Amino acid sequence: FLREQVRLVQPKMIVCLGRISAMRLIKSDFKITKEHGIWFRKGDYDMCAVYHPSLLLRDPRKKEEMLTDMKMIAKRFRGEEA
């Protein structure tokens, strides 16, 4: 179902929320603490992963890293960063 949605929408990028989705979409041994905010090329799509929002509720110390990742994603979306 998700593959068909991606094919129809043809997004500029895909951002995975959390390790589980990153393991499914980016690579099976994805390590969220080491690889969050790093871009991967899969087929026609640029993908990255960020911490899952529920983690931020359990561990507020991760909010700064999440904010940094989201700013980087926004810049890339606007075409300001490769």
Side-chain angles (χ1 to χ4, degrees):
F1 186 71
L2 179 59
R3 290 179 203 265
E4 182 64 13
Q5 284 182 330
V6 169
R7 187 186 68 76
L8 291 171
V9 174
Q10 297 180 346
K12 286 177 126 178
M13 63 182 68
I14 296 173
V15 177
C16 299
L17 299 179
R19 180 182 59 88
I20 302 301
S21 61
M23 289 174 65
R24 181 74 173 145
L25 295 176
I26 298 173
K27 63 180 189 171
S28 60
D29 62 343
F30 194 89
K31 306 286 189 245
I32 192 71
T33 54
K34 292 182 181 178
E35 298 176 299
H36 69 90
I38 297 173
W39 290 99
F40 296 84
R41 185 76 180 173
K42 294 284 290 197
D44 295 333
Y45 304 102
D46 290 329
M47 297 183 171
C48 75
V50 296
Y51 292 122
H52 193 280
S54 66
L55 173 68
L56 303 178
L57 296 173
R58 293 190 309 273
D59 187 356
R61 295 170 297 171
K62 301 284 188 198
K63 287 182 181 180
E64 193 63 39
E65 290 177 76
M66 179 69 146
L67 181 59
T68 300
D69 289 347
M70 296 307 285
K71 286 179 180 179
M72 177 266 308
I73 291 166
K75 280 185 176 181
R76 189 174 184 117
F77 184 77
R78 290 188 306 261
E80 296 174 12
E81 189 175 288

